[in-house]
Amino acid sequence: MKKISMTLKTKILQFIILLIFASNILTVKHAFANEGAAKITGELKKWHKVTLTFDGPETSETAEVNPFMDYRLNVVFTHDESGESYKVPGYFAADGNAGETSATSGNKWRVHFAPSETGEWHYKVDFRTTKWIAVSEQDANPWGDPKGEAVEGVDGIEGTFQVAKSDKTGRDNRARGRLQYDGTRYLKWAETGEIFLKVGPDSPENFLAYEEFDGNFQSDGHKDDLVKTWEAHLKDWNEGDPVWKNGKGKAIIGAINYLASKEMNAFSFLTMNIVGDDQNVFPFIDYDTYDRYDCSKLDQWEVVFEHAGKQGMFLHFKLMEQENQGLLDNGGIGAKTQLYYREILARFGHHLALNWNIGEEFGDWAEEHITPPLNAVQRRAAAEYLYNHDPYQHHRVIHNPPMFDDLLGPDSKYTGVSLQTGHPDFRAVHGQILNWMKKSEKAGKQWAIAIDEPGDARFALVPDDVDPAKDNARINGLWGAFTAGAWGAEWYFGYDNPHSDLTCQDYRSRDLFWDQCKHLLHFFKKIDIPLGETENHDNLVQKDDYCLAIPGEMYIVVLRNGSGTINLENQNGEFSVNWFDPRNGGNLQTGAFKTVKAGKIQEIKGAPSEPEKDWVVYLQKL
């Protein structure tokens, strides 16, 4: 074997040194390029919350350069294979742990994302600063220069991450995907395609007026007597459930657990009620400041909302109410209102099951307003803003009065309404849902309609100790809603009884009625029909009874007094007859007649028991 010459040894040594030097250069460059990269947290799974946190400018909630208004953080997420893309707004997150530390300053900036596909996602950061940029629609000035100044070290960052399939099952919303409006009267889960029927409390509207959230609302002189403890639900908190700041939050988390234990799947809340009925709920640093946001309080709200999603809850965000609809911009959708929408979108828009309710009793209808009312143009503009800026296109609704004629049509960005009625016996529910179902379809855009305030202002859904049976609520309100084609029903508590729309701190005050709601959900699950193909057919049954049907295939008939008729004149064959007890639930039952023949108007009678009571009859083609 020949010896290697010294010259060759020298050259080899020089080459090795050069490789090491080049490798070190590449390592340094790589480290520098990722110096400001996002810290990615959360479960990297489909439909789960993925959080990107950036080290950005050091600032505070009260800094002279407003971190909410004068910075704009957006991150574009693009799926590598499908090309699906989401432009998601971000927000100032103080020290990144404000829910625990109550920090008001820091250098953390954050964005939440709920990926809709497995596989590789690419993200790219757009982070700029200048006066009012958060509410600017411009990416460049008239000369083509970028709007504002790039935030050095963060703007332009790119990266990728891999998303796996979700491992969640059961009630957890992540097992079902995002709830979506698809132009029909029912919302559907993106992952499973299933229709969602919403049932739960609409009250108390001040659900978030909870004493253990940060802020000074508990003692600021604005209706402090209405601040809640939710103490009755402390016993419903379970070991392992979330808390903040060494044990805070147990009672409000317990309230959600109780609703889930009753199989309710929705609750509603105002996120801003300044000058309203309660005056303790707002996302701002104090009652009189409308462009500075309380980072720690909002982090704590997120703990509650995240737990709710895991419990299968739909979040009904009511963004404003009648009294404060013009508070931020004198009735316009101006800078402060847009910033408010943006902050809510950025912090909570990733949740899978929610709607944005522009406002409760929102519009120019009352003789006197505390703040200027919104006219039809402004009400349309509010929905337009959310349509343009919500990357997930959640359901957009508005609550009456006034009525909604001026919001109908294919160009409207509303996808449904949150309906209110005004009779203590709930008799208007069925007819009003049918009315707006037909009006929206005729106008060229079918709305998804929920009855979210049935009853009247005084009584509505009274506590169980006032009326344990709830016959009118059950027949006229609950079954009346769903046989008219509603996708949801939430229950308002009124003002004239304990546990009212403002004072309720115990959902058990209506415990017996939650069972009746659960029975309805169980019924629709048992019969397992293509609900989207059904239509209301009250014309086939007696006056005051209700009918939802696929004519010739199946009929759901609500018999108010235990017997009635069904018109099968134009049908053929034979139908099985099964009975369901809406008062007590249970399995489908057989009565005196197991079948009826088509070809004529048939009597429906022979209930399994209590023939004078209300029954639901299910007829199915044999």
Side-chain angles (χ1 to χ4, degrees):
M1 183 175 175
K2 292 183 179 179
K3 293 185 179 179
I4 300 175
S5 68
M6 291 300 296
T7 303
L8 182 58
K9 286 183 179 179
T10 302
K11 288 182 178 181
I12 291 172
L13 182 60
Q14 288 173 341
F15 180 70
I16 292 171
I17 293 171
L18 182 62
L19 283 177
I20 294 170
F21 181 69
S23 176
N24 287 337
I25 291 175
L26 289 172
T27 302
V28 170
K29 284 185 175 181
H30 178 76
F32 179 78
N34 287 274
E35 191 174 49
K39 178 183 178 182
I40 301 177
T41 54
E43 294 179 280
L44 298 181
K45 296 175 182 177
K46 187 179 181 182
W47 305 122
H48 294 224
K49 181 173 78 170
V50 176
T51 298
L52 276 63
T53 303
F54 305 93
D55 289 340
E58 180 80 32
T59 185
S60 74
E61 294 172 351
T62 57
E64 183 177 353
V65 177
N66 187 331
F68 310 101
M69 186 71 84
D70 299 336
Y71 286 89
R72 186 182 65 197
L73 171 62
N74 291 321
V75 179
V76 175
F77 296 88
T78 305
H79 188 253
D80 182 61
E81 186 174 338
S82 70
E84 188 171 12
S85 186
Y86 297 86
K87 183 180 178 180
V88 182
Y91 63 93
F92 171 57
D95 67 349
N97 194 31
E100 293 292 335
T101 64
S102 297
T104 61
S105 63
N107 72 334
K108 305 302 180 185
W109 299 77
R110 182 164 283 167
V111 64
H112 302 301
F113 176 56
S116 55
E117 301 278 357
T118 59
E120 184 170 274
W121 285 86
H122 173 267
Y123 68 88
K124 185 173 182 178
V125 180
D126 177 22
F127 193 16
R128 307 191 71 82
T129 180
T130 193
K131 194 73 171 174
W132 315 115
I133 194 169
V135 295
S136 172
E137 299 300 316
Q138 294 180 322
D139 289 324
N141 64 26
W143 300 276
D145 298 324
K147 179 78 173 181
E149 297 180 7
V151 175
E152 188 175 351
V154 182
D155 182 67
I157 287 175
E158 298 184 58
T160 60
F161 55 90
Q162 291 287 331
V163 169
K165 185 179 178 180
S166 176
D167 59 349
K168 302 308 176 187
T169 59
R171 286 181 61 94
D172 194 316
N173 289 338
R174 294 171 294 181
R176 299 178 286 183
R178 188 170 294 113
L179 194 61
Q180 299 175 322
Y181 167 78
D182 65 356
T184 69
R185 68 177 191 259
Y186 294 113
L187 303 189
K188 300 179 182 70
W189 295 105
E191 184 68 23
T192 65
E194 294 176 292
I195 284 172
F196 175 63
L197 299 181
K198 174 186 75 163
V199 184
D202 180 62
S203 295
E205 66 180 34
N206 57 349
F207 173 84
L208 293 173
Y210 177 51
E211 65 174 6
E212 293 190 347
F213 288 134
D214 278 3
N216 69 345
F217 65 91
Q218 306 92 335
S219 58
D220 63 359
H222 293 280
K223 300 191 177 182
D224 299 332
D225 59 309
L226 293 175
V227 171
K228 299 185 182 302
T229 66
W230 286 111
E231 183 178 1
H233 288 295
L234 184 59
K235 63 185 177 183
D236 298 306
W237 183 86
N238 299 312
E239 194 66 37
D241 285 344
V243 293
W244 57 88
K245 299 180 74 169
N246 297 316
K248 288 187 175 183
K250 290 183 178 180
I252 196 169
I253 294 293
I256 292 168
N257 287 349
Y258 166 74
L259 292 175
S261 76
K262 303 299 289 187
E263 298 186 36
M264 298 299 94
N265 56 25
F267 64 99
S268 73
F269 45 88
L270 280 162
T271 50
M272 204 271 279
N273 62 18
I274 293 171
V275 306
D277 295 325
D278 169 79
Q279 303 184 7
N280 290 296
V281 180
F282 44 88
F284 313 120
I285 58 174
D286 60 53
Y287 190 86
D288 300 305
T289 302
Y290 308 144
D291 63 350
R292 308 284 181 145
Y293 287 77
D294 189 326
C295 294
S296 61
K297 183 201 295 183
L298 294 178
D299 278 2
Q300 292 158 6
W301 285 10
E302 170 62 8
V303 172
V304 175
F305 298 153
E306 187 167 16
H307 181 71
K310 293 175 182 179
Q311 297 299 309
M313 290 293 173
F314 175 91
L315 303 173
H316 184 159
F317 281 81
K318 295 179 179 177
L319 299 176
M320 295 182 188
E321 59 180 323
Q322 185 265 325
E323 292 85 355
N324 63 28
Q325 59 188 293
L327 177 69
L328 301 183
D329 293 296
N330 292 319
I333 310 302
K336 289 180 180 177
T337 304
Q338 292 178 39
L339 180 63
Y340 172 50
Y341 290 167
R342 179 183 171 86
E343 288 289 327
I344 295 293
L345 284 168
R347 296 170 188 273
F348 310 122
H350 60 280
H351 288 288
L352 300 173
L354 63 85
N355 67 213
W356 307 124
N357 188 335
I358 301 300
E360 180 192 42
E361 299 180 344
F362 220 45
D364 190 4
W365 62 274
E367 293 183 1
E368 295 183 3
H369 288 266
I370 297 172
T371 63
L374 270 66
N375 59 35
V377 173
Q378 293 163 335
R379 294 198 301 274
R380 281 178 174 264
E384 187 90 24
Y385 181 90
L386 291 171
Y387 171 80
N388 289 330
H389 294 85
D390 178 4
Y392 305 112
Q393 292 300 300
H394 290 295
H395 191 39
R396 294 175 296 276
V397 304
I398 193 168
H399 183 261
N400 66 302
M403 288 305 181
F404 317 105
D405 298 81
D406 52 10
L407 304 177
L408 291 165
D411 295 332
S412 172
K413 301 309 179 188
Y414 287 99
T415 54
V417 291
S418 175
L419 194 62
Q420 172 182 347
T421 61
H423 298 282
D425 62 359
F426 305 93
R427 67 180 182 268
V429 168
H430 187 78
Q432 282 296 309
I433 292 170
L434 286 175
N435 177 47
W436 291 104
M437 202 76 71
K438 293 172 182 176
K439 276 192 173 185
S440 62
E441 181 183 23
K442 185 177 180 181
K445 183 177 183 178
Q446 177 66 71
W447 278 346
I449 297 173
I451 179 70
D452 291 330
E453 192 172 323
D456 67 337
R458 292 183 60 197
F459 301 109
L461 188 72
V462 298
D464 288 343
D465 58 7
V466 176
D467 176 15
K470 307 280 198 314
D471 290 338
N472 286 328
R474 178 183 63 258
I475 300 170
N476 297 336
L478 182 64
W479 286 90
F482 287 98
T483 54
W487 73 276
E490 293 179 11
W491 297 91
Y492 170 72
F493 294 169
Y495 279 88
D496 274 17
N497 285 288
H499 305 289
S500 76
D501 185 45
L502 291 180
T503 64
C504 180
Q505 300 198 60
D506 187 359
Y507 285 127
R508 281 188 177 81
S509 57
R510 276 82 174 173
D511 185 85
L512 296 176
F513 188 70
W514 305 139
D515 287 334
Q516 297 185 40
C517 293
K518 176 175 64 177
H519 299 333
L520 177 138
L521 295 177
H522 284 191
F523 169 78
F524 280 104
K525 188 173 183 179
K526 287 176 194 296
I527 62 174
D528 191 27
I529 60 169
L531 196 56
E533 298 177 21
T534 63
E535 297 286 346
N536 176 267
H537 282 279
D538 290 348
N539 59 304
L540 300 178
V541 297
Q542 291 182 167
K543 183 181 179 181
D544 296 330
D545 289 341
Y546 306 136
C547 180
L548 188 70
I550 305 174
E553 296 183 27
M554 55 75 56
Y555 302 82
I556 298 166
V557 180
V558 176
L559 300 174
R560 186 176 298 272
N561 299 305
S563 63
T565 62
I566 179 72
N567 187 338
L568 300 174
E569 288 180 318
N570 298 319
Q571 307 303 330
N572 300 306
E574 199 169 11
F575 291 81
S576 63
V577 180
N578 286 283
W579 298 73
F580 180 76
D581 182 352
R583 290 157 281 111
N584 302 299
N587 294 322
L588 296 178
Q589 304 177 48
T590 55
F593 303 93
K594 293 183 179 180
T595 63
V596 294
K597 289 185 177 180
K600 64 178 182 179
I601 296 175
Q602 287 281 13
E603 280 191 283
I604 310 176
K605 60 182 181 179
S609 62
E610 299 183 282
E612 75 285 357
K613 298 287 189 180
D614 56 303
W615 283 86
V616 177
V617 179
Y618 176 49
L619 290 86
Q620 186 177 29
K621 182 72 174 286
L622 292 173

